[in-house]
Each structure stands twice: as C-alpha cells, then as structure tokens.
Amino acid sequence: MSTSTSPTSVTSRTTDAGPERPVAGTPEVALTVDVDGVATNYHDVGSGDPVVLIHGSGPGVTAWANWRLTLPELGTRFRVLAPDVLGFGYTERPEGVSYGMEAWTRHLLGFLDALGLDRVRLVGNSFGGALALSVATRAPERVERLVLMGSVGVPFEITPGLDAVWGFEPSLPAMRSLLDVFAWDRSLLTDDLARSRLEAATRPGVHEAYRSMFPAPRQHAVDAMTLDEEAIHSIAVPTLVVHGRDDRVIPLANSLRLLELIDRSQLHVFGQCGHWVQIEHAAEFTRLVGDFLA
C-alpha cells in the first residue's frame, strides 16, 4: 500500500539481457526485463553500488507505490532497483503459476541474474522482508547488506490488520478501512488515495492473482513465509531492522526477534508510525537506510 505522487525520471539501460524499454503511461510502469520467460517491470535509478528494494503485499501494490519517495533520494547515493515481484504490479502473471516463497525467491534471484547483479544490498518491506530473508539464507553470497522493515519471516499469530490486508475484497469502503490500518498519520488517508489504490487493486487479473496468494485461513500464509530460525541466525551480513512502533499489520515483536537472531543487527523503531515507515517518516528513513548501506 502506498500513496501516489509525480513520477521520477527513469533512464533506460541496455544490459547483457538485452534492451530494456520504458513504457508510456503510469509512473508505476518503467523498464522491462525477461526473467526466465516472465516480463518483469522494474525501476532503475541512480548509479553506484546496487540496492534492490522489495515491496510489501498490500492489494494493488507496486514497487512504485511502495518506494516512490525512496527511489529518487536513495538514487543520489546508489543504483537503486525496485522490481514488481512475481504476481504483483505490472510484472507478467503467467497462467498456472503457483505463488509462494519458492517461486518468489526464484524470480528475485532470476531478476538479479538477468541484470548481471552478482552481489547487492537488499531492502525488504513486510512481505518483502521475508523474501529478502529467503534470498539472504538461500544465496548468502548474493547479499552484501540487509534492511528489514516491518518484516515477516519469523513466527507470529496473524494480526487482525494483516488478515484484513490479505483478505481484502474490492470496495471503496474496504479500501478506506485498510488505509486506516496502514498509517498512524491520518492526514495521509484521503478519499482520492482510497480510490486510486482501489483502481490499482482491480485492474484485470490483479485481484484474482492476489486472492490466490493468501487464501483463508491466512495464518497458513504467515507460516509459509516463516523461515527456520537457525537459517536466520546464520545470516552474517550487517543487518538493519526497522519498525513503526504503532504498526497494526506486523507486530513489533517480529523485529525484536530478528534483532535477537541476527548477530550483526541493529534495530531502529519509529514512534508515531504505523506500517508505512518509508512514507510516514520518508526523509529520516531514507537517510537512515542510506547511511547504513554506505
């Protein structure tokens, strides 16, 4: 979930994977790269050491919606890439795909391979935190530093907020109610925002894919994204854990547990902040993450 804003410029690149082409229209659509036969939409800004941003799993989410405030600022210090994860946003949704951590991990590693990125800094938000943990434990040689924000990946009882997010059925009142769950700062929660996110969540094929990812009872989805704690404990790279104190979607206890499990970790908690740290505290978040990744 995120708000909308004016687009940042995105520069087309050519890599060994072939030409990547900007697509006209919404700023949520940027470049396309073939990842094992899946046309994958992604943003690519800045230059320098590569940082990959992995979005969360709110209805209608895209990399742009999640990271549109982070991309231009972090892009002044790094090359920042933000893909639409398999099944989300404007990345192709192949027929018959079985969504789950195995498929999402393969897709993200394939994305790195397609762009020739041997080693990256990973930033994962919520669902994206579990995916970042999966990559960091499955292919540790690919990860140089790790940031986990409001992350899934350790055992917890599903919150009413997350159950509502994953169980979303499209309507304007339901979307307005979800916005109340995501943000501590109610000034962000406008009717225009609710309408725009509902439109994103109801594009052809989007909600059908989303519903298949998180069927009831949704505690099963939490459990399926939970990594073995010994594997998490094996993570040896410097790790920054970030959380909003007032998060109603993912409990703060998750980040406290990650702090305990990962030896080279530190935790920063933002007060007066819900699940949208990167939006509600955009400048402070980007500065904190940028300094850590540097």
Side-chain angles (χ1 to χ4, degrees):
M1 294 289 296
S2 184
T3 56
S4 300
T5 189
S6 58
T8 187
S9 62
V10 180
T11 303
S12 177
R13 299 177 184 272
T14 300
T15 72
D16 293 340
E20 301 148 356
R21 50 200 186 278
V23 183
T26 171
E28 295 180 307
V29 177
L31 307 176
T32 302
V33 64
D34 184 291
V35 177
D36 299 324
V38 176
T40 299
N41 179 59
Y42 74 102
H43 302 264
D44 189 344
V45 302
S47 61
D49 294 328
V51 174
V52 176
L53 308 178
I54 312 173
H55 61 72
S57 61
V61 72
T62 64
W64 174 261
N66 211 152
W67 300 114
R68 88 257 184 272
L69 300 181
T70 310
L71 278 160
E73 295 302 318
L74 209 56
T76 64
R77 305 176 70 174
F78 305 95
R79 179 185 177 189
V80 186
L81 304 106
D84 285 351
V85 174
L86 179 68
F88 291 92
Y90 290 85
T91 286
E92 185 180 8
R93 293 179 294 279
E95 290 186 12
V97 66
S98 179
Y99 296 111
M101 194 52 64
E102 179 66 24
W104 288 319
T105 302
R106 283 199 310 269
H107 178 253
L108 185 57
L109 287 170
F111 174 75
L112 301 184
D113 291 340
L115 294 181
L117 301 171
D118 294 330
R119 192 168 168 86
V120 299
R121 295 155 167 85
L122 279 183
V123 181
N125 171 31
S126 193
F127 153 88
L131 182 48
L133 284 167
S134 179
V135 170
T137 54
R138 175 173 168 169
E141 73 282 359
R142 308 295 295 268
V143 181
E144 186 167 349
R145 283 182 175 247
L146 184 63
V147 179
L148 305 168
M149 185 182 77
S151 183
V152 183
V154 294
F156 70 99
E157 183 177 345
I158 191 168
T159 63
L162 182 57
D163 197 44
V165 170
W166 284 349
F168 173 77
E169 289 297 335
S171 74
L172 188 58
M175 182 60 75
R176 191 63 176 80
S177 179
L178 273 193
L179 296 182
D180 288 336
V181 170
F182 271 89
W184 180 89
D185 181 359
R186 294 300 188 267
S187 70
L188 297 172
L189 310 181
T190 65
D191 289 339
D192 285 345
L193 171 60
R195 280 189 289 268
S196 70
R197 297 321 305 159
L198 181 62
E199 289 172 5
T202 53
R203 287 188 300 106
V206 170
H207 187 65
E208 291 79 3
Y210 188 71
R211 184 189 287 125
S212 74
M213 295 175 191
F214 311 112
R218 279 170 280 277
Q219 181 66 44
H220 292 332
V222 172
D223 298 341
M225 292 185 202
T226 298
L227 283 78
D228 179 79
E229 291 196 345
E230 284 300 315
I232 297 175
H233 184 62
S234 73
I235 293 173
V237 295
T239 301
L240 173 64
V241 184
V242 181
H243 216 109
R245 183 194 62 200
D246 310 295
D247 192 335
R248 297 166 56 196
V249 179
I250 305 299
L252 177 57
N254 277 29
S255 287
L256 294 170
R257 184 58 180 152
L258 289 167
L259 179 69
E260 293 174 345
L261 288 171
I262 303 172
D263 285 340
R264 299 180 67 188
S265 64
Q266 55 184 284
L267 171 64
H268 190 104
V269 179
F270 286 85
Q272 297 187 329
C273 183
H275 196 56
W276 281 351
V277 178
Q278 82 281 19
I279 294 171
E280 295 189 83
H281 294 269
E284 296 91 336
F285 171 79
T286 304
R287 182 168 55 250
L288 175 72
V289 170
D291 289 346
F292 173 77
L293 294 180

